[in-house]
Amino acid sequence: MNAIELKSISKTFGDYTACRDVSLAIPVGEFVTLLGASGCGKTTTLNMIAGLEDATTGDILMNGARVNDLSPVQRDVAMVFQNYALYPHMSVARNIGFTLKMRGMGKDEIRSRVEKVAASLELSTMLDRLPAQLSGGQQQRVAIGRALVREPRTFLFDEPFSNLDASLRMKMRAEVKELHQRLGVTSIFVTHDQEEAMSISDRIAVMHQGRIEQVGTPEQIYNRPATRYVATFIGNPRIELSSAVVVSEQGKTYCTVGSTRLALPSPLESGRKIEVGLRPEHVRLTDEAGIGAVVRLVQPVGPTTHVTLEWEGGTLVSSIPGFVRLARGASTRFKIDPERLLVFDQATGKLLQ
Amino acid sequence: MSYARLQHGGPLRRAFVFLGLTLFVVWSAGPILWLLLTSVLQQKALIQQPPDLSLENFTLANFTAVIASAASLGRGIVNSLVVASFSTTVALAVGAPAAYALARLPVPRANGIAFLILATQMLPGIAIAIPLFIVISKLGLIDNVFSLGVVYLSFNLPIVVWILRGFFLGIPWGIEKAAAVDGAGIFATFWHVILPISWSPLVASAVFAFVEAWNEFFFALILTRQQAQTVPLVIAQFAGQYQTVFGQMMAAAVISVAPVILLAILFRNQIIRGFADGMMKG
């Protein structure tokens, strides 16, 4: 059974539509990320799942039952917020225990559960401190503790790490993933950080202008992006696309970018206008026969070097393992693996084949 | 200019700041110092031009005289305490939930309502004095501390609502969302989360309301006779028909401003922070 199912939910604020026709089914125990740029409707979607905002239309089901009219508590969700949203006047222990107090639990039981959660998050020595006396990472752990102590059926994360510095973010990411693997609680995570989404999720729903563009595993999203938007939004460096036209000649199909002929992974009708692109790691520089290009920019980042090329089809980025010595303006050649070519319909932006 | 230099400034800049602050202190503290001085001077020294400040003219006789006639001043202080405490307590008890509702709950036309609440304060006192007097006298509540308290409440409540609403509007939404997810309803959120973090503006608006009620003269004059007279009226009585006993009047005034100044000193941090927070997002 699906822990959560969104059936074409929409949300409008006056004239503005934050979410349109969002449908998503999340099986029990899955970790799903809503990924998108700011304003894409991901947080609104999360708030509707949480019960903090009403869906304008559509149904939200949890374990098969419609929950549109239930409060967050009745939906049994716990949430971790972007700015932690800790209660500034309460100690760490009271912050974590507040939700239990609201449920009328006895003091002794609250204390024992708070202590258990605090121990698992390495907060035991800080129970009497106020949030202002904690570092950002510790505050975030308190926020997670507040969600954990309830033992809820669903965890919701609203950009929980965006206020942390890079190294702490990586650490918290790993902690949350381990936590999920340990507890197996259905989780929905909202972020605009594609790398975070890729590294933490079972599945990713990429959102754009209030719609879900694609739902899939990180691998599907990365290697088989359903739309041009997903292709360019996911991946760093960004994929560059070139306009091309399909040509069929003597039973062979290929496409032309300017005067360059590229083989297609599968046949298409002749004359169709398309856009083609390659992930940077699939663009290989070669000394042999290949497509001519000029080096415009060389950016080593450690494990790889990003080389920006200028060619007939525009720009193209090649990621090459290690460090490479190339001068700006040098002529080079590159090769394409046709199987790796991503082909989009120019009009609809949809992935072909 | 570096930030540090902006912070500390050069000698000329510092001199200007110092001069400005000095003028402001003299402007604010001057009347109070004059009040204190007058209260310990003999009448004859006081009415000389310029006042004779030689040491033998200083006396505590004014205070002993005022305290000797303590019946009226004592009653005035008690009345003022009752009136000010009543109107402050009720203003906070009613105003804080109202302000929260206007700031946070889906109240239709909340901004319009908030403006109307403030608009009630835009009438000059004299415009409502006569109808108010008629209503209260028909109710037989002239010279009654509680009717005066209710009148002050009507002045204090809008101010309290405005100060607190400004503060509540500035609280990040996240904390209330967190409370909702934690299972707190509107009242529990207000009581356990919002009120405890609003300590500064609560204290600031309480002190403001208390001082307003404590110092008010005009409505106290027309709505009381004898039993319900508040401190400002008692002080005014030292100005008699044939002579004004300045020294005793000022001694009475010193006694009456003492609690107000004490409040201001005790809660100065909350007052400053409370008003600053409230004004930030009005």
Side-chain angles (χ1 to χ4, degrees), chain B residues 89-260:
Chain B
T89 311
V90 179
L92 282 188
V94 177
Y100 184 65
L102 288 174
R104 286 304 211 222
L105 303 185
V107 176
R109 305 203 179 276
N111 280 328
I113 293 172
F115 175 75
L116 282 180
I117 288 175
L118 192 68
T120 61
Q121 298 307 294
M122 292 173 184
L123 290 172
I126 193 72
I128 56 169
I130 292 165
L132 199 61
F133 176 80
I134 294 171
V135 169
I136 290 178
S137 65
K138 290 231 162 127
L139 290 170
L141 290 173
I142 293 290
D143 207 20
N144 178 315
V145 278
F146 288 102
S147 67
L148 193 59
V150 169
V151 170
Y152 290 168
L153 178 62
S154 74
F155 306 148
N156 281 333
L157 192 52
I159 307 294
V160 167
V161 168
W162 263 78
I163 294 174
L164 292 180
R165 178 171 175 265
F167 179 82
F168 293 152
L169 283 173
I171 296 176
W173 271 106
I175 193 166
E176 285 155 276
K177 285 190 186 172
V181 172
D182 275 349
I186 291 169
F187 286 102
T189 303
F190 181 65
W191 184 254
H192 291 291
V193 177
I194 298 299
L195 280 186
I197 63 175
S198 307
W199 178 236
S200 291
L202 284 171
V203 169
S205 52
V207 170
F208 180 86
F210 189 91
V211 171
E212 280 290 296
W214 184 269
N215 288 339
E216 207 282 330
F217 181 80
F218 177 63
F219 286 93
L221 182 66
I222 56 174
L223 298 177
T224 64
R225 295 276 178 273
Q226 187 76 49
Q227 286 308 310
Q229 276 196 336
T230 53
V231 165
L233 295 175
V234 176
I235 295 169
Q237 279 171 354
F238 286 93
Q241 195 174 353
Y242 302 107
Q243 68 157 350
T244 297
V245 195
F246 287 114
Q248 291 183 14
M249 191 177 184
M250 294 305 128
V254 167
I255 293 171
S256 76
V257 296
V260 173

Side-chain angles (χ1 to χ4, degrees), chain A residues 293-348:
Chain A
V294 176
V295 176
R296 217 182 65 193
L297 198 62
V298 180
Q299 300 176 92
V301 292
T304 55
T305 300
H306 304 317
V307 180
T308 307
L309 304 168
E310 196 83 55
W311 72 297
E312 197 174 5
T315 54
L316 195 63
V317 182
S318 170
S319 287
I320 302 160
F323 292 84
V324 293
R325 290 182 182 282
L326 276 171
R328 179 189 150 85
S331 293
T332 183
R333 291 175 182 285
F334 66 91
K335 263 182 139 170
I336 281 176
D337 177 356
E339 292 301 314
R340 295 293 192 176
L341 199 66
L342 296 174
V343 181
F344 299 95
D345 185 273
Q346 196 163 52
T348 64

Side-chain angles (χ1 to χ4, degrees), chain B residues 56-92:
Chain B
E56 69 266 20
N57 289 329
F58 283 86
T59 171
L60 288 177
N62 293 326
F63 283 91
T64 45
V66 166
I67 291 167
S69 68
S72 61
L73 184 62
R75 194 179 58 220
I77 288 177
V78 170
N79 285 339
S80 279
L81 274 177
V82 171
V83 168
S85 307
F86 171 79
S87 70
T88 302
T89 311
V90 179
L92 282 188

Side-chain angles (χ1 to χ4, degrees), chain A residues 2-191:
Chain A
N2 288 320
I4 296 166
E5 192 173 353
L6 308 181
K7 284 190 165 168
S8 55
I9 57 169
S10 298
K11 175 74 183 177
T12 53
F13 298 99
D15 294 339
Y16 177 70
T17 302
C19 293
R20 302 162 198 265
D21 211 16
V22 170
S23 293
L24 182 64
I26 302 171
V28 173
E30 196 179 43
F31 196 115
V32 173
T33 295
L34 305 178
L35 172 66
S38 58
C40 73
K42 55 192 190 297
T43 294
T44 305
T45 305
L46 192 73
N47 283 341
M48 288 191 285
I49 296 170
L52 292 170
E53 278 174 45
D54 293 328
T56 311
T57 58
D59 289 331
I60 301 167
L61 308 183
M62 288 187 176
N63 300 298
R66 188 173 180 276
V67 298
N68 285 46
D69 304 318
L70 299 187
S71 71
V73 180
Q74 290 167 320
R75 296 183 192 195
D76 202 7
V77 298
M79 194 158 172
V80 178
F81 295 88
Q82 178 171 5
N83 300 312
Y84 323 131
L86 300 178
Y87 310 119
H89 59 293
M90 295 186 196
S91 66
V92 169
R94 286 182 60 212
N95 259 286
I96 297 175
F98 183 69
T99 179
L100 303 179
K101 183 178 164 186
M102 285 297 107
R103 296 167 151 202
M105 197 178 276
K107 274 193 175 153
D108 293 336
E109 191 175 357
I110 292 179
R111 182 178 319 189
S112 81
R113 283 176 74 163
V114 167
E115 279 170 2
K116 210 174 96 195
V117 166
S120 75
L121 293 167
E122 295 170 31
L123 290 167
S124 298
T125 57
M126 305 171 193
L127 284 174
D128 295 326
R129 290 200 213 163
L130 290 175
Q133 297 165 312
L134 303 178
S135 71
Q138 289 164 343
Q139 289 185 24
Q140 191 53 274
R141 277 213 288 274
V142 176
I144 291 171
R146 194 165 60 172
L148 277 179
V149 76
R150 294 249 308 268
E151 299 171 4
R153 219 180 312 183
T154 310
F155 278 126
L156 306 176
F157 298 88
D158 183 11
E159 306 223 23
F161 309 144
S162 56
N163 291 358
L164 300 177
D165 63 54
S167 67
L168 199 53
R169 197 152 56 207
M170 303 279 271
K171 187 166 170 263
M172 293 303 297
R173 206 188 275 174
E175 281 184 21
V176 164
K177 187 157 189 171
E178 277 177 23
L179 199 68
H180 178 253
Q181 286 167 352
R182 203 170 76 222
L183 304 176
V185 176
T186 312
S187 302
I188 306 179
F189 192 99
V190 161
T191 183

